[in-house]
């Protein structure tokens, strides 16, 4: 199966804020065929539409993503 925007949104709704690495890993464990680059592309389009926002946590320069309320 190929990953879609809906899969990423449902994962963020279920788990809360996550990094790209965790999103990719959790989707892969659920049986989706995805790469980090594909997940980043989906997240960029969701950010443009205002569904998801990116933020930094703990000052470690690693972006995390969460749904906009």
């Amino acid at each position: 199966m190929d990953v879609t925007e809906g899969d990423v949104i449902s994962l963020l709704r279920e788990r809360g804020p996550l990094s790209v690495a965790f999103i990719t890993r959790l989707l892969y464990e659920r049986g989706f065929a995805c790469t980090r680059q594909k997940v980043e592309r989906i997240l960029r389009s969701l950010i443009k539409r205002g569904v998801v926002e990116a933020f930094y946590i703990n000052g470690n320069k690693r972006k995390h993503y969460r749904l906009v309320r």
Side-chain angles (χ1 to χ4, degrees), residues 5-40:
E5 289 181 353
D7 301 321
V8 174
I9 290 171
S10 66
L11 184 64
L12 288 173
R13 185 174 291 127
E14 180 182 310
R15 294 283 186 128
L18 294 170
S19 67
V20 173
F22 274 105
I23 293 170
T24 306
R25 185 177 128 222
L26 292 170
L27 288 170
Y28 185 77
E29 288 174 355
R30 290 182 180 193
F32 292 101
C34 62
T35 61
R36 183 179 53 81
Q37 290 83 7
K38 182 174 261 187
V39 171
E40 286 175 343

Side-chain angles (χ1 to χ4, degrees), residues 2-4 11 13 16-17 23-24 27 31 35 39 44 47 50-51 54-55 57-59 61 64-65 67 69:
D2 216 21
V3 67
T4 63
L11 184 64
R13 185 174 291 127
I23 293 170
T24 306
L27 288 170
T35 61
V39 171
R44 275 195 304 269
I47 289 170
V51 178
F55 66 99
I57 195 166
N58 295 338
K61 300 204 184 340
H64 284 66
Y65 300 90
L67 292 175
R69 294 182 184 151

